């Protein structure tokens, strides 16, 4: 008698069920209900190998529609916190179904008028509802962050109505920390491309910009996004001034490689928004320099008095021991042009250290005459030779 493992039984059941469904399509249209039930059972098995094999089978229109329906039904039944271990398998299958061919600009009107146009419409509609239902499932922190980091590139461009993600993204943005950072891109896309009215976006972004954040491992990603968010010429002067001042104020406590990036962001802000140049050109005799009216503890950018202040912090940074910081700050004193500066995000602290290490002489200066009166015994208690 040969013992059969549970894995072999699952494999056999999967192959048999798939054969029946495939044979059915030879004579009649695929039964979407039966296919959806089959997909539900694959997800319940929590076998990554079976999910991978299933994702390779989802190629034609009927299978794609059935997959979305099966995932949606499964997500509705398993929305309790006790099913958090099932979310990775649902995400694995859902993210593998490609509908970009139906949502791209290359999908012409001629193709839309074919007999499959109704099926394509229902697939795109099911794609929306399935993602919304899946996002309601309990998820681990790692999976949560994985979804947020790819949502703006892999999901939103293919949704019929991305505004359905508002609640999920706003809740994520309110959580703070890394979760808020990962929700920024998607939320900004909804604001700029889909006319989402979210007045709290910039005030919350301002509150995220703390001195501690400039020491976080994800600081370069945040500053890169911040540089993008503040490029709009429609932003009011007080808001741009608030971000420039808070960046300069917090940079006094930041590591050198972050200070270089921050100063470049401020440089770009001044070039894009001439109304904030006054913060740089106020001299040492100005009242805003002698007694700074800026309120660093104020969390509302409209009430922090940044526009009445000055960027005196840049004068301090101009004397920084790191030559790259001093050089970058001094460029602000020259007449500015319209060319924005690169942020140099790829360097990091190690890159900055190696860059300046190459600038030093390889032959350090030494005493040219060998000492004749050096006695090692005199230093025996201090050094070991």
């Amino acid at each position: 008698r040969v013992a059969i493992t549970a894995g072999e039984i699952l494999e056999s059941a999967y192959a048999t069920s798939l054969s029946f469904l495939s044979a059915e399509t030879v004579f009649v249209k695929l039964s979407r209900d039966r296919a959806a039930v089959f997909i539900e059972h694959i997800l319940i098995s929590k076998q990554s190998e079976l999910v991978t094999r299933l994702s390779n089978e989802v190629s034609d229109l009927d299978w794609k529609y059935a997959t979305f329906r099966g995932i949606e039904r499964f997500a509705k039944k398993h929305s309790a916190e006790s099913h958090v271990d099932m979310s990775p398998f649902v995400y694995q299958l859902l993210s593998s179904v490609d509908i970009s061919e139906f949502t791209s600009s290359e999908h012409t009107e001629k193709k839309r008028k074919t007999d499959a146009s109704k099926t394509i419409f229902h697939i795109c509609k099911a794609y929306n509802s399935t993602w919304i239902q899946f996002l309601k499932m309990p998820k681990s922190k790692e999976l949560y962050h994985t979804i947020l980091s790819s949502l703006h590139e892999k999901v939103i461009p293919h949704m019929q109505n991305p505004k359905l993600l508002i609640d999920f993204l706003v809740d994520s943005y309110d959580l703070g920390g890394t979760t808020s950072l990962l929700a920024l891109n998607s939320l900004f896309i909804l604001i700029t491309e889909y006319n989402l009215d979210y007045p709290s976006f910039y005030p919350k972004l301002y509150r995220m910009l703390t001195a501690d954040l400039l020491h976080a491992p994800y600081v370069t990603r945040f500053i890169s996004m911040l540089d993008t968010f503040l490029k709009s010429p429609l932003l009011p002067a007080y808001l741009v001034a608030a971000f420039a001042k808070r960046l300069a104020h917090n940079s006094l406590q930041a590591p050198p490689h972050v200070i270089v990036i921050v100063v470049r962001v401020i440089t770009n802000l001044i070039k894009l928004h001439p109304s904030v140049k006054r913060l740089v050109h106020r001299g040492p005799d100005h009242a805003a320099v002698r007694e700074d009216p800026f309120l660093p503890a104020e969390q509302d950018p409209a009430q922090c008095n940044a526009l009445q202040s000055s960027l005196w912090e840049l004068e301090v940074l101009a004397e920084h021991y790191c030559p790259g910081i001093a050089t970058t700050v001094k460029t602000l004193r020259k007449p500015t042009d319209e060319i924005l500066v690169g942020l140099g995000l790829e360097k990091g602290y190690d890159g900055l250290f190696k860059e300046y290490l190459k600038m030093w002489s390889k032959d350090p200066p030494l005493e040219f005459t060998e000492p004749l009166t050096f006695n090692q015994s005199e230093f025996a208690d201090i050094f070991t030779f």
Side-chain angles (χ1 to χ4, degrees):
R1 181 180 296 179
V2 180
I4 302 177
T5 64
E8 292 173 334
I9 295 174
L10 276 174
E11 178 70 24
S12 177
Y14 170 84
T16 304
S17 301
L18 187 60
S19 298
F20 279 136
L21 289 170
S22 300
E24 184 182 40
T25 60
V26 176
F27 305 100
V28 294
K29 203 172 183 179
L30 175 69
S31 173
R32 294 172 178 174
D33 288 335
R34 277 197 287 272
V37 172
F38 171 66
I39 290 165
E40 284 188 76
H41 283 286
I42 294 297
L43 293 173
I44 290 172
S45 71
K46 294 189 285 188
Q47 297 292 320
S48 181
E49 296 81 4
L50 295 184
V51 174
T52 301
R53 288 185 59 182
L54 177 60
S55 63
N56 295 330
E57 299 290 340
V58 181
S59 56
D60 61 36
L61 298 180
D62 289 329
W63 264 110
K64 288 183 179 182
Y65 182 80
T67 301
F68 289 138
R69 283 294 172 233
I71 293 175
E72 186 175 2
R73 285 164 52 174
F74 181 85
K76 286 180 180 178
K77 294 177 183 178
H78 300 85
S79 58
E81 286 294 332
S82 57
H83 300 299
V84 66
D85 58 327
M86 294 185 174
S87 296
F89 303 100
V90 179
Y91 177 72
Q92 180 186 352
L93 180 58
L94 181 55
S95 59
S96 68
V97 184
D98 182 22
I99 68 164
S100 59
E101 59 182 305
F102 309 137
T103 58
S104 65
S105 57
E106 297 177 359
H107 191 64
T108 62
E109 289 295 328
K110 183 178 179 180
K111 292 181 180 179
R112 292 192 182 101
K113 292 178 181 178
T114 61
D115 294 336
S117 60
K118 289 185 178 180
T119 303
I120 293 173
F121 172 79
H122 289 301
I123 288 175
C124 294
K125 187 177 180 180
Y127 181 83
N128 278 257
S129 57
T130 303
W131 265 102
I132 297 303
Q133 191 61 48
F134 166 66
L135 293 176
K136 296 177 182 178
M137 287 188 70
K139 297 169 285 294
S140 65
K141 187 176 181 180
E142 292 76 15
L143 180 59
Y144 197 166
H145 289 176
T146 300
I147 295 169
L148 283 173
S149 62
S150 61
L151 207 61
H152 65 288
E153 291 180 337
K154 298 181 179 179
V155 180
I156 290 180
H158 308 308
M159 294 190 74
Q160 289 178 330
N161 185 12
K163 287 186 177 181
L164 295 173
L165 297 171
I166 291 175
D167 291 338
F168 173 74
L169 291 174
V170 169
D171 290 343
S172 302
Y173 193 35
D174 291 339
L175 290 177
T178 307
T179 307
S180 293
L181 174 71
L182 295 174
L184 280 174
N185 266 331
S186 299
L187 202 54
F188 186 69
I189 288 175
L190 294 187
I191 293 172
T192 56
E193 298 182 17
Y194 296 94
N195 299 319
L196 170 64
D197 184 19
Y198 188 50
S200 301
F201 179 78
Y202 282 102
K204 287 183 178 179
L205 187 65
Y206 182 79
R207 289 195 289 272
M208 288 177 64
L209 185 56
T210 62
D212 291 338
L213 183 138
L214 297 185
H215 293 267
Y218 51 80
V219 59
T220 54
R221 176 170 180 167
F222 175 82
I223 295 178
S224 175
M225 289 190 292
L226 184 65
D227 185 61
T228 302
F229 301 156
L230 296 175
K231 282 181 178 178
S232 173
L234 302 178
L235 295 177
Y238 80 85
L239 186 65
V240 178
F243 276 99
K245 179 64 178 178
R246 188 150 181 151
L247 279 168
H249 188 78
N250 291 338
S251 67
L252 296 178
Q253 305 175 51
H257 71 286
V258 175
I259 297 177
V260 172
I261 301 172
V262 166
V263 173
R264 288 172 179 170
V265 171
I266 295 173
T267 303
N268 288 342
L269 288 178
I270 293 171
K271 291 182 178 182
L272 287 169
H273 306 275
S275 58
V276 300
K277 285 184 180 179
R278 68 186 82 170
L279 275 69
V280 177
H281 296 313
R282 285 171 178 162
D285 296 329
H286 195 278
V289 178
R290 293 195 303 270
E291 187 174 351
D292 194 350
F294 176 67
L295 304 175
E298 177 58 56
Q299 299 301 313
D300 185 357
Q303 304 295 328
C304 66
N305 298 334
L307 206 55
Q308 291 77 42
S309 181
S310 70
L311 295 178
W312 57 264
E313 294 89 351
L314 297 179
E315 295 296 325
V316 177
L317 295 176
E319 304 299 327
H320 200 278
Y321 71 87
C322 179
I325 296 175
T327 303
T328 306
V329 172
K330 289 173 183 176
T331 59
L332 286 174
R333 299 172 180 171
K334 301 176 183 178
T336 58
D337 50 30
E338 298 299 325
I339 302 176
L340 303 182
V341 298
L343 301 185
L345 299 174
E346 68 282 352
K347 287 185 178 179
Y349 193 90
D350 291 340
L352 194 68
F353 179 78
K354 291 176 181 177
E355 178 182 332
Y356 294 120
L357 194 62
K358 294 177 182 177
M359 297 170 59
W360 295 345
S361 173
K362 295 183 179 179
D363 298 320
L366 301 174
E367 175 63 52
F368 61 89
T369 303
E370 183 178 353
L372 301 176
T373 59
F374 180 74
N375 188 353
Q376 292 188 8
S377 61
E378 297 179 3
F379 300 93
D381 297 334
I382 305 175
F383 298 106
T384 301
F385 296 96

